[in-house]
Each structure stands twice: as C-alpha cells, then as structure tokens.
Amino acid sequence: MCLSVRAVILSAVERTVENGKIQNTMKKIAVIGAGTMGNGIAHVFAQNGFQVHLIDIAQTSLDKGMATITKNLDRMMAKEAIDQAKKDTTLGNISTFTNMKEGVSQVDLVVEAATENLDIKLKIFKDLDEACQADTILATNTSSISITQIAAATQRPEKVIGMHFMNPVPIMKLVEIIRGYSTSDKVTETIMELSKKLGKTPTEVNDYPGFVANRILMPMINEAIETLYNGVAGVQEIDMVMKLGMAHPMGPLQLADFIGLDVCLSILNVMYNGFKNPKYAPCPLLVNMVMAGKLGVKSGEGFYDYSESRKAEQVSSQFK
Ligand SMILES: NC(=O)c1ccc[n+]([C@@H]2O[C@H](COP(=O)([O-])OP(=O)(O)OC[C@H]3O[C@@H](n4cnc5c(N)ncnc54)[C@H](O)[C@@H]3O)[C@@H](O)[C@H]2O)c1
C-alpha cells in the first residue's frame, strides 16, 4: 500500500477512535447562565442524551429557563418532531444549581453563557479553573469578548475555547468555534466533533474582535441604523429592502431589536476598541436608544413597539 494512502487510512482510524472516545467520555456538561442562550444550549445537549447541570446565580432565571425549555419541547411535540418519551427524557437529563462549584465539580465540559460582561466572565473562568477537574474543557458562548483574554484567567488556556451558538439555539445550525491564542488542536477537534453530535454545523475561526459572525453582521446593522439616522428611509422601508431585495429572513433593524440593542452596542464597541478603526464606531442613534433604555424586544421597544405583540408589526412612535 502506498505510504500516503496508509497514512490517510491510519489517520481516519485514529479519528474514529478519537470520536469513540468523545462519545464514551463526554457525558456530563455544565451550562453557566440560564438566560436566552443558556437554556437553549442546555436543551440541545439534554435532547442529545447528555446529563446537563444548568447553573445560574438567580433561582428565578433557572425557573424561567426550565419553563422555556418545556414550552419549546411542547412546541416540538405539537409539530410531531419529538414524542412524549423524548420530552420526558430531555427534561430528566437536566438538573439545576445555584451553587457553581457544586454544579461543575464532576463535568467533562462547561459551556459558559452568562451575561456579556468582561469582569463577570473573568471571575467565572478563574473560579471554574479551581472547581473543575484538570481535564475539563472550558468553553464560552461570548459574542465578542476575546477568548485569549478569558483563557488567561485560567491555568489551562489550551483547554479554553469559544463555542458560539446562534439564537434560537435549538433551531439554528451554526456553531462558530473560536480558537484562542493557546487553544490546542485536540481541544478544537473535540469541540468540533461534539458540535456535530448535537446536529450542528461547526465552523472554525480565529480569535479576533467580533470573530466572523458579528464582524460581518454588526457593521451591516450599524449601517442600517446610520441610514435611518441620516433620513434616507424609514424603519419599515429599510427592513423591506433587505428582506425582499436581499432575501434576508428578517430586516436588520428588526434583527437588532431581537438581539438586543445593548448587545449590538457592546459588540460594536469591542470591535471599535479592538481594531482602533472608525468604521466600527457605533451610530449615535444606537447609543442614544441604549441610554434611553430602548433595547428592543426585551424592553418592549426599539425600532419597533412590542407592547402588544412580540412581532415587529408596529414601528416605534419615535420613528413614525
Ligand atoms: N442573545 C443572543 O442573541 C446571543 C447570541 C449569541 C451569543 N450570546 C452570548 O451568550 C451569553 C449569554 O447571553 P444571553 O443573551 O443568554 O444573556 P441573558 O441576559 O439572557 O442571560 C444571562 C444569564 O446569566 C446569569 N448570570 C450572570 N452572572 C452569572 C454568574 N456569575 N454565574 C451564573 N449565572 C450568571 C444571569 O442571571 C442570566 O440568567 C453572552 O455572552 C452573549 O454575548 C448571546
């Protein structure tokens, strides 16, 4: 047999063994934060047979998170995508904790999905490094914070990686896998394989501000806000051009409301500061809206008014 063919077969065998090892060893996962993203991540792992420890500092967030998972499973049952038994085993695979140390002590992987704030994340990763077993992989779902900086808060930077799920997690296929400066090949491969096991499509990218998803998305959203700010067109007209003209399922202003205008502002600031390039400077209108507490769907008003419906049907009175 030619050497190169043998090498390819051997490497495939090694991969299979490696995959087998992943399947056998990765059983228990902790998810930190039970908010919008955390409950979706817990749902997807639990539905795929993993034991999930869902952890939040607030019991109310855990209760709300579990109620959302139950509602989403009921919706899947109504569409006959799963049966009652699957719903019951999925819920049975999730335990909730308010004590992080207790929840992470025996797990193979932690996926952190707490509030997007550098100090909060650095403290969580320092504590995780002390509380977790030496071989536990520590992943973060951050939208924009440097994986390298988060990894530097631990003594295991080679085992720290970005696992950026998209919202809503049970539906969206992509997971952006971000390698920090020191993330090892083995950890990257393990997380890529694991994402596939969840039925997702992982894409590997490097650790620079905004990674890939937000580096491309946020300037588009910012430009849509700038277009509105300059009086080129109204809210519905801007969204309509992108929906019908570019086949986007949602217009950029509606999408900004859905993501949260505070989140958009924070990501733009990370890119602006990280690249020192004015093209990422947030539009003054976005800054004003965040200061006024108009954060989009979660606050009831952004570019649209959500007081009567969570759908973007009514343009906010500010923009009529
Ligand atoms: N919302 C999105 O569309 C989206 C998309 C991709 C990634 N992300 C990222 O996911 C992460 C979570 O975002 P979210 O939208 O779910 O936020 P969220 O505000 O809905 O939820 C955050 C949760 O973290 C909890 N929390 C805060 N500090 C904690 C701590 N020390 N320990 C445990 N729990 C703690 C809060 O109580 C809250 O329940 C952020 O890093 C965000 O950038 C968000």
Side-chain angles (χ1 to χ4, degrees):
M1 189 189 302
C2 138
L3 265 183
S4 60
V5 172
R6 191 161 175 268
V8 169
I9 293 174
L10 267 180
S11 121
V13 170
E14 277 161 18
R15 270 179 80 91
T16 311
V17 171
E18 173 93 310
N19 292 351
K21 199 171 135 221
I22 292 163
Q23 280 172 10
N24 291 336
T25 58
M26 282 262 182
K27 287 205 168 82
K28 274 197 182 169
I29 311 290
V31 178
I32 315 271
T36 311
M37 297 303 287
N39 73 64
I41 296 168
H43 172 157
V44 168
F45 273 106
Q47 197 178 324
N48 283 282
F50 292 85
Q51 294 296 315
V52 179
H53 291 182
L54 181 58
I55 303 164
D56 203 293
I57 38 170
Q59 183 62 45
T60 47
S61 292
L62 288 171
D63 295 342
K64 220 173 136 200
M66 289 306 295
T68 302
I69 296 171
T70 308
K71 197 177 74 195
N72 289 338
L73 287 166
D74 283 338
R75 193 174 301 136
M76 291 171 88
M77 261 178 59
K79 288 184 182 162
E80 296 184 352
I82 59 166
D83 58 16
Q84 180 71 45
K86 188 71 181 171
K87 176 189 164 187
D88 295 344
T89 46
T90 301
L91 288 174
N93 281 342
I94 307 175
S95 325
T96 58
F97 296 79
T98 48
N99 182 325
M100 188 172 89
K101 261 191 183 166
E102 212 182 292
V104 300
S105 64
Q106 301 291 322
V107 300
D108 306 305
L109 167 73
V110 178
V111 183
E112 173 275 320
T115 311
E116 184 79 341
N117 173 291
L118 178 64
D119 293 336
I120 291 177
K121 300 222 190 258
L122 293 181
K123 169 88 171 72
I124 289 177
F125 275 76
K126 187 171 176 297
D127 292 347
L128 284 175
D129 196 31
E130 286 162 15
C132 292
Q133 300 167 142
D135 56 353
T136 302
I137 295 175
L138 307 180
T140 172
N141 185 52
T142 179
S143 304
S144 61
I145 296 172
S146 161
I147 308 303
T148 306
Q149 190 173 7
I150 291 173
T154 74
Q155 301 297 316
R156 60 178 93 188
E158 74 290 352
K159 295 195 187 77
V160 177
I161 191 162
M163 200 174 183
H164 186 203
F165 289 88
M166 305 290 133
N167 183 12
V169 184
I171 291 169
M172 298 295 278
K173 280 278 176 203
L174 181 74
V175 187
E176 195 178 25
I177 306 294
I178 306 118
R179 288 185 74 125
Y181 193 85
S182 307
T183 311
S184 73
D185 290 345
K186 186 165 175 271
V187 165
T188 307
E189 194 175 324
T190 302
I191 296 302
M192 294 284 287
E193 292 300 333
L194 180 70
S195 305
K196 288 180 200 159
K197 226 180 145 226
L198 298 175
K200 303 291 183 197
T201 304
T203 303
E204 187 184 323
V205 311
N206 287 320
D207 182 26
Y208 289 98
F211 318 133
V212 171
N214 283 317
R215 184 166 175 173
I216 296 170
L217 175 65
M218 286 302 156
M220 184 191 73
I221 285 179
N222 200 35
E223 199 59 35
I225 301 172
E226 196 82 30
T227 309
L228 177 70
Y229 177 62
N230 291 341
V232 180
V235 170
Q236 276 175 321
E237 289 72 19
I238 292 169
D239 275 353
M240 190 70 80
V241 166
M242 297 307 283
K243 275 196 289 189
L244 299 188
M246 314 298 154
H248 289 196
M250 212 183 247
L253 300 174
Q254 184 188 357
L255 181 56
D257 275 357
F258 181 69
I259 294 169
L261 300 192
D262 52 338
V263 177
C264 295
L265 177 61
S266 135
I267 297 171
L268 281 161
N269 276 329
V270 166
M271 294 198 290
Y272 182 51
N273 295 329
F275 292 114
K276 307 277 185 275
N277 186 332
K279 81 172 174 182
Y280 301 109
C283 175
L285 173 59
L286 173 64
V287 177
N288 262 359
M289 290 176 77
V290 173
M291 285 194 295
K294 308 295 181 192
L295 308 182
V297 179
K298 64 181 159 190
S299 73
E301 189 186 336
F303 296 103
Y304 294 86
D305 183 339
Y306 302 93
S307 50
E308 280 172 22
S309 152
R310 282 176 68 84
K311 291 186 182 147
E313 286 162 351
Q314 286 286 332
V315 172
S316 153
S317 57
Q318 194 81 16
F319 301 110
K320 276 186 179 158

